[in-house]
Amino acid sequence: MNEFRMLSTSGILGYGFAEESLKIGMTWEPHVIGCDGGSTDPGPYYLGSGKSFTSRLSVKRDLRLMLMAAVAARIPCIIGTSGGAGGEPHLQDTAALVREIAREEGLSFKMALIHSEQPKDWLCDRIAEEKTRPLGKMKPLDQATVDRAERIVGMMGPEPFARALDEGAQVILAGRSSDPAQWAAPAMRAGIPPAPAWYAGKMLECGAEPTIPKEPDNIFLRVRDDHIVCEPPNPIRRSTPLAVANFALHENASPIHHTEPGGLLDTSACTFEAISDRAVRVGGMTWTPASTYTVKLEGVERVGYRAITICGTRDPVLIGQIDSYLETHRRTVATKAASFGVPPSDYTMVVRTYGKDGVMAAWEPQKAITSHELGFVVEIVGRTQDIANAVVAMARTSMLHADFAGRLCKEGNMAFPFSPSDIELGAMYRFSIFHVVAPKDPYEMFPIEYETVRGYHAAHR
């Protein structure tokens, strides 16, 4: 039976993994190693700003170990959604890090950069051709939304990865990609049918998540024609039927139908069988090709500038009337901001009250406050950073010194854990584009650039 073996080092590049796990996994002779490099989970800021949500030091540590293992074994190393969000700045930063590691370690290889940031004029042409449609509750995409976007990426499928492998790339750095695509590509290229190839990708995308105890670490998949076998290299972890089945529900609107570029993975008939105390065999998955090939788009726009202050109280008199206190606080801030020329239309203020409803806000079912202390995050989003900074300073002063009925302490009402107490957070972004587009083919949106990395220098072609 055909078998293809893949080793994922972690759920996100830079989250770390046990070095011994990689050593053990490499003795199982994988055909490819890799790691997903990003996610939308940390929110829109990282796509908009071009920054990563992982540290350069931790990413370099993980990448160094992976590159050295891949080069020594002469197998591909694939990184999806490079740099956290997969935009052009993220891809280029990751490529620079790879070159740096290659210089330091004397490594040589052919590298492919697969770009995913989308030109606005191209996307507007697709809108005019009625080739886009919204996801969820989004409105239909229009040119104004595209023009406002700070950055737009397409979520590539497996085809660009396979093309880069066909061209002999050993290290592949991709922009934004479907999480399982980087794994489905080499498996299908090796002759594995789409259903187990895509299912393997679902298991590999988050490293050791389908194991117990769960922690960022390696996972190893043996992918065969009609099933996969999931097993962690680290001897302290085990894959169990429950852990694997539970993870199969991960990050999807449906527990059994997973829409991917080019088709639908159906897991409704899957079976989960423990073949040892550490490994699970999964079979029964099916794949239905899509009638139209579509690619998901992700885009963000800047909506203002943010500043926050953090404080807390354990005054029982104040806690007992916190709702009326915060309402008075809101009116006071509005009046004082207007006095220095900032109308309510120039900012929004949100006060999150932890110990009351800070996590779920209006959805919190437990209305009674049972905590002896409350924590507050006061957030201002202003039209400019100066406005946000000015209003948060006034909000902090009001929280600290406002009077209330029965007040015994005539000094400050709040404890502030930090000095400076006002924290400037810069530009704030929101997701404005969650749509799909129908390209002419799976490669149109994702140009590939090849580079030969040789120790202390790189030659482009």
Side-chain angles (χ1 to χ4, degrees), residues 111-307:
M111 180 166 70
L113 305 185
I114 310 179
H115 304 270
S116 67
E117 193 163 321
Q118 300 304 305
K120 292 183 178 181
D121 55 353
W122 176 87
L123 186 51
C124 288
D125 288 343
R126 300 292 84 74
I127 294 171
E129 295 168 0
E130 299 183 346
K131 296 294 185 180
T132 66
R133 62 177 174 83
L135 295 174
K137 297 181 179 180
M138 302 295 290
K139 296 179 180 179
L141 192 57
D142 57 26
Q143 182 173 342
T145 302
V146 172
D147 289 342
R148 289 195 306 270
E150 190 79 17
R151 183 168 287 108
I152 306 167
V153 293
M155 185 180 285
M156 73 184 73
E159 293 83 1
F161 290 101
R163 176 169 285 183
L165 290 169
D166 288 343
E167 289 291 321
Q170 185 176 13
V171 175
I172 300 175
L173 306 180
R176 187 68 171 116
S177 57
S178 166
D179 293 351
Q182 71 176 91
W183 305 105
M188 289 191 291
R189 181 173 175 269
I192 297 293
W198 277 104
Y199 196 95
K202 295 296 293 182
M203 291 296 103
L204 288 156
E205 68 180 64
C206 282
E209 287 290 302
T211 70
I212 53 172
K214 208 159 57 166
E215 188 179 356
D217 205 351
N218 291 196
I219 195 71
F220 195 93
L221 267 286
R222 294 173 175 86
V223 193
R224 296 164 184 156
D225 291 339
D226 62 354
H227 69 275
I228 61 102
V229 175
C230 184
E231 182 177 6
N234 193 326
I236 72 168
R237 308 193 197 288
R238 297 183 298 124
S239 283
T240 66
L242 179 59
V244 173
N246 180 64
F247 185 69
L249 309 177
H250 174 70
E251 289 184 339
N252 204 65
S254 166
I256 56 173
H257 295 145
H258 304 261
T259 302
E260 296 291 348
L264 179 74
L265 178 66
D266 189 330
T267 64
S268 58
C270 278
T271 59
F272 303 86
E273 174 190 359
I275 60 173
S276 74
D277 63 344
R278 305 186 64 254
V280 172
R281 179 189 188 277
V282 185
M285 63 286 290
T286 61
W287 175 260
T288 303
S291 58
T292 301
Y293 193 98
T294 58
V295 170
K296 182 186 176 187
L297 298 166
E298 295 172 352
V300 299
E301 62 184 41
R302 186 173 66 244
V303 294
Y305 296 83
R306 177 185 278 144

Side-chain angles (χ1 to χ4, degrees), residues 306-309 348-352 377-381 392 425 428:
R306 177 185 278 144
I308 65 170
T309 189
T348 59
M349 180 172 71
V350 176
V351 180
R352 293 176 174 84
V377 177
V378 182
E379 174 194 16
I380 307 296
V381 176
V392 85
L425 294 181
M428 175 191 171

